[in-house]
Amino acid sequence: MSAGTIAFAAASATSTGEAVQFWVLGTVAVLGALATVLMKKAVHSALSLAATMIILAVFYLANGAYFLGIVQIVVYTGAIMMLFLFVVMLVGVTAADSLKETIRGQRWLAACCGLGFGILLIAGLGNASLRQFNGLGQANSGGNVQGLAALIFTKYVFAFELTGALLITAAVGAMVLTHRERAERAATQRELSEARVREGKQLPPLPAPGVYARHNAVDIPGLLPDGTPSELTVSPTLRARGQIRDVSGQALAELAALEQRSGDWVERGHSEDTKGAAK
């Protein structure tokens, strides 16, 4: 056996830790990719895709591609994927919306693009040389970032620019797909007002919260012209929580009696002080 064959066998050997890492994380990555396609809710699909990207970043770091691993986490998972996730959560795309095509033929076009990408991937793997390869030491001899930059801006500059254009197209496509076109004419202000009158809703502004001698709070109902309290003046949240203060006639009478007793106590204390000073 020649020295080159021995060196190749030693370099291509996989340790137990690397094998365990590959099979465990690879299984999770495949499950995340399948969940991205099969999940009914768009938010769950986005979270599954983010988990798959994080596992890919771990693979990059384990193989010595530190720059790609950090970029995968910071740019793709931390920025782009989270942006898509927040947009989906804010827009509120549901499973019913995904059944309506805003662009005719987009499903067939996506299927053709996926088939073409699969053919290119299989052709690239079949064209790869499995007999001769450069080790990590030789590839990163001048630095991982420097070696990657030299390949991107020389040998793979066209593929790099094409990938940038693809990302921009994907961002624009996401905006187009989440855009909802209004099929019916928007109602005018006059039509909305007439509809409120027909439905018997509250037309004038709601009365303000109650203002009393010692109270100016949002949890106290305001009084109508006949003196009765109106719960419409209090926030619906406070009404649901049961946090409205009682301003009935009995409660007002009790408050007046308490104020009268307080006034009598203050006057009695003041008179006692005056008598003591006279003595």
Side-chain angles (χ1 to χ4, degrees):
M1 185 178 294
S2 62
T5 305
I6 296 175
F8 174 77
S12 59
T14 303
S15 63
T16 305
E18 292 177 346
V20 172
Q21 174 192 359
F22 174 78
W23 287 109
V24 172
L25 296 182
T27 303
V28 177
V30 172
L31 293 178
L34 293 176
T36 303
V37 180
L38 300 178
M39 283 291 182
K40 294 182 178 180
K41 293 186 177 181
V43 176
H44 296 167
S45 298
L47 291 175
S48 301
L49 183 58
T52 303
M53 287 185 174
I54 293 176
I55 294 176
L56 292 178
V58 174
F59 283 148
Y60 288 143
L61 296 175
N63 287 278
Y66 304 112
F67 180 78
L68 288 179
I70 298 301
V71 168
Q72 181 76 20
I73 294 176
V74 175
V75 178
Y76 288 95
T77 307
I80 298 178
M81 239 359 272
M82 291 301 104
L83 176 61
F84 287 169
L85 179 61
F86 290 152
V87 168
V88 168
M89 293 174 65
L90 292 175
V91 173
V93 179
T94 61
D97 296 331
S98 62
L99 300 177
K100 300 178 182 179
E101 293 189 6
T102 55
I103 302 178
R104 294 185 178 277
Q106 61 179 351
R107 298 182 184 274
W108 290 104
L109 181 60
C112 293
C113 292
L115 180 62
F117 178 75
I119 294 175
L120 290 177
L121 183 61
I122 295 174
L125 293 176
N127 194 30
S129 177
L130 302 179
R131 295 184 178 181
Q132 296 179 356
F133 62 92
N134 297 327
L136 292 177
Q138 182 178 356
N140 297 333
S141 59
N144 180 259
V145 179
Q146 290 81 354
L148 183 63
L151 291 175
I152 287 178
F153 293 104
T154 55
K155 185 178 181 180
Y156 300 103
V157 61
F158 179 74
F160 181 71
E161 296 296 336
L162 186 61
T163 303
L166 179 62
L167 291 176
I168 296 176
T169 305
V172 175
M175 297 174 60
V176 172
L177 292 177
T178 55
H179 176 68
R180 298 180 179 179
E181 296 183 358
R182 184 183 295 273
E184 67 279 358
R185 182 180 62 86
T188 61
Q189 188 69 28
R190 181 182 181 85
E191 294 173 349
L192 293 176
S193 302
E194 293 176 353
R196 291 185 61 184
V197 173
R198 294 191 187 98
E199 294 174 0
K201 293 184 178 180
Q202 179 75 21
L203 297 180
L206 296 176
V211 179
Y212 300 96
R214 295 188 178 181
H215 296 283
N216 185 8
V218 295
D219 59 346
I220 298 180
L223 298 180
L224 297 177
D226 58 354
T228 58
S230 174
E231 292 187 356
L232 296 177
T233 61
V234 184
S235 172
T237 304
L238 297 179
R239 293 203 302 267
R241 294 177 179 176
Q243 297 178 347
I244 303 177
R245 298 194 200 180
D246 186 14
V247 291
S248 59
Q250 182 179 358
L252 294 177
E254 293 177 355
L255 179 60
L258 177 61
E259 293 178 349
Q260 183 64 33
R261 290 195 300 270
S262 300
D264 295 342
W265 183 81
V266 172
E267 291 179 359
R268 186 169 56 251
H270 179 69
S271 61
E272 291 177 357
D273 293 339
T274 305
K275 292 180 181 179
K279 292 180 180 180

